Amino acid sequence: MRVAVLSGKGGAGKTFVAVNLAAAAGKAVYVDCDVEEPNGRLFLRPQETETTPVTVPVPVFDQSLCDGCRKCVDFCHFNALFFAKNRPMILPDVCHGCGGCAFVCPRKAVSETTREVGVVETGRHGDIQVITGVLHTGEASPVPVIRGALRMAASGKEFTVIDCPPGSSCSVMESISAADRCILVTEPTAFAFHNFKMVHQLASLLGKPCGVVINKAEGPYSPLEEYCAQAGLPVLASVPYSRQTAAACAEGIIASRTDAGLAKVFEGLLEQMGGAGR
Amino acid sequence: MIVAIPVDETREALCVSFARAPFVLFYNTDSHTSEIKENPAAQAEGGAGVKASQFMLDGGAEAIITIRCGENAAQVLKAADVSIYKSQGSTVQENIDAFQEGKLSLMTSFHAGFHGIR
C-alpha cells in the first residue's frame, strides 16, 4: 500500500500526518517528496544516512560537426536553446533534458552530459526507512528529484507514506502518480478549503481514491463537510486544534508518541489505510 | 544598425513585457525606417524570453530598448553581444530620439522572470 499525503495549502499538516502515520505503522517507508523544503527528517531524524546524487541530462554541442541548420533550436519546445554567433547555445536552467535536440540533429553534433540538481538521502528511524528528496537551492524543476526519491522506494513492498509538496502543480502530480490512495489534509478554513478542492480535483482526475483528514479542527465547518458528503469523500480523521500538538511539532517531536489521544487518531487512520501489514 | 523595441497593441508605445509583447518594432538607424512584426514568443508556453530574444537576433538587432528584461533573455542577448538599453518615457519616438542622442543608459538589473504570471 502506497499512501500519498497532500494538501493544497502549505502548512495544513501534510508532514505532521505523514510522519505520524508512518510512526503508527512502525514498519514503513516514508518518502519526502516536498523536495524544496523536506521537513520530515526533522521529526524522523534518520540514522546511517547515505546520499545519492540526482542528475539530469544536458546537451553539449560539438562545433566541429555542427553546420548551423538550427533544427535543434527550432525543435526545443521549452526554448532552452538559442542560436547566436552562428552556433546553438543552451540555457541549462530552462532545459528539461528531453534529448530531443540530439534526436533531431542530422549531423550527430549533440551529445549529452549530466548536471546535478539535487540528492536523495536515505536513512533509518527504527523500522521506518526514511527517503528524502532534496532539491539544490536555485534549481527550477523539482520533478527529477521527486522521481529519484520515489525510485528509491520502489523496491520495497512495505507500507509506504509519500509526503507531497503543497499545491496542485506538476510536482504534486509526480508525487502521487504511483500512490494507491491519497489522504487530503485540510484545515477547516476558507483558504485551505479552496485549495483542498483543487487537489481533490487533481487526485480524482488521476483516478486515485481519496480520504480526508481535517487538521486543527476547532469546530464544525459546514462548507467542507457538505462538500465531502456530496463528493462521497470519507473523512478519515479529525485532529483537534491543540496548543500542545503545535508545541510538540515546533520541537520536532512526533506528537502521537507523547499524546495517547493522537496515537489513537493515527492508529485509526492506519487501520483505514489497510494497516501496516499491507 | 537595427534597434529592436517590444511594443504594445498601439504599436506606438513600449510594452511593459519584453517577452510577451504582441509586436516588435525594428528600427534601422541608417535608413531611418521602421518595421513592425508580430512577436512569435507572445504565446509561448515557456521560455518566452529566450524565444523573443532569438526573434530579435534573427531580425538583425544589435541593440534593444525595453522597459524591463528577464535574466534568460539577457543571457541570450549578451551571448550575441546585443546591448540592452533601459527605456525612457513611454513612446517609441521618444526612445528612438533619446537613443540616437546617446541619452539612454544600459540596463543593469534583470528580473528572474514571471513564468506566465501576469
Side-chain angles (χ1 to χ4, degrees):
Chain A
M1 173 63 67
R2 294 158 73 98
V3 181
V5 181
L6 62 161
S7 79
K9 179 186 166 293
K14 288 176 298 299
T15 298
F16 168 69
V17 170
V19 164
N20 283 281
L21 180 60
K27 196 167 162 52
V29 179
Y30 167 88
V31 192
D32 204 337
C33 287
D34 190 2
V35 301
E36 286 179 79
E37 39 184 356
N39 288 342
R41 58 182 174 171
L42 300 180
F43 297 91
L44 293 164
R45 303 173 201 204
Q47 304 296 305
E48 301 160 40
T49 55
E50 280 177 35
T51 58
T52 312
V54 177
T55 60
V56 294
V58 183
V60 186
F61 303 95
D62 184 339
Q63 297 312 327
S64 66
L65 294 174
C66 176
D67 65 355
C69 75
R70 289 178 68 149
K71 285 203 169 105
C72 54
V73 178
D74 295 338
F75 178 83
C76 184
H77 185 67
F78 305 105
N79 295 315
L81 304 181
F82 62 98
F83 195 81
K85 294 191 169 164
N86 226 19
R87 59 197 184 100
M89 296 189 209
I90 181 168
L91 295 170
D93 287 351
V94 187
C95 177
H96 282 51
C98 72
C101 48
F103 185 76
V104 299
C105 177
R107 297 182 59 93
K108 307 227 176 307
V110 188
S111 57
E112 270 175 4
T113 179
T114 56
R115 190 168 73 85
E116 186 177 311
V117 293
V119 296
V120 176
E121 183 195 85
T122 55
R124 299 208 72 83
H125 171 98
D127 280 336
I128 302 173
Q129 189 192 3
V130 183
I131 300 171
T132 307
V134 187
L135 183 70
H136 286 333
T137 305
E139 287 298 336
S141 174
V143 171
V145 180
I146 292 170
R147 279 189 193 148
L150 288 172
R151 245 197 316 273
M152 209 71 91
S155 52
K157 289 188 176 110
E158 281 156 20
F159 183 74
T160 301
V161 183
I162 302 164
D163 194 354
C164 297
S168 47
S169 63
C170 49
S171 57
V172 178
M173 231 168 91
E174 195 64 42
S175 305
I176 68 173
S177 57
D180 301 308
R181 281 188 194 185
C182 290
I183 295 178
L184 314 179
V185 183
T186 186
E187 297 162 357
T189 63
F191 179 14
F193 177 51
H194 175 266
N195 291 5
F196 160 82
K197 285 186 282 188
M198 290 166 74
V199 286
H200 175 231
Q201 222 179 340
L202 174 70
S204 305
L205 258 170
L206 296 175
K208 307 291 178 187
C210 295
V212 182
V213 170
I214 303 173
N215 190 25
K216 305 178 211 174
E218 282 184 290
Y221 179 67
S222 57
L224 174 62
E225 288 145 19
E226 283 163 22
Y227 178 90
C228 290
Q230 245 175 22
L233 263 175
V235 177
L236 306 168
S238 185
V239 181
Y241 176 77
S242 127
R243 198 185 158 81
Q244 192 193 326
T245 306
C249 289
E251 291 289 327
I253 292 167
I254 299 171
S256 60
R257 290 206 176 138
T258 56
D259 181 330
L262 268 182
K264 266 207 147 40
V265 169
F266 283 99
E267 278 158 26
L269 184 60
L270 178 67
E271 191 75 13
Q272 293 175 86
M273 289 297 113
R278 294 226 221 135
Chain B
M1 173 192 212
I2 293 172
V3 185
I5 308 174
V7 295
D8 67 13
E9 293 80 0
T10 66
R11 303 178 180 218
E12 287 171 359
L14 272 72
C15 183
V16 69
S17 170
F18 169 86
R20 296 186 185 277
F23 301 101
V24 178
L25 181 140
F26 294 91
Y27 182 79
N28 188 321
T29 58
D30 303 319
S31 63
H32 303 288
T33 53
S34 60
E35 192 182 354
I36 294 173
K37 293 182 181 170
E38 251 184 71
N39 174 16
Q43 304 300 331
E45 276 175 39
V50 179
K51 195 169 180 174
S53 303
Q54 181 77 64
F55 179 63
M56 295 178 203
L57 293 187
D58 294 344
E62 290 174 64
I64 309 281
I65 304 172
T66 180
I67 295 174
R68 62 187 183 191
C69 178
E71 281 168 357
N72 288 338
Q75 272 196 55
V76 173
L77 297 170
K78 281 175 182 170
D81 293 329
V82 172
S83 313
I84 309 164
Y85 291 90
K86 172 94 185 82
S87 63
Q88 286 176 10
S90 60
T91 68
V92 168
Q93 198 55 55
E94 285 172 86
N95 278 282
I96 288 173
D97 293 346
F99 175 76
Q100 288 181 319
E101 289 161 19
K103 286 181 182 165
L104 294 185
S105 46
L106 288 169
M107 190 169 275
T108 50
S109 73
F110 302 95
H111 64 78
F114 300 107
H115 306 112
I117 300 162
R118 304 203 177 198

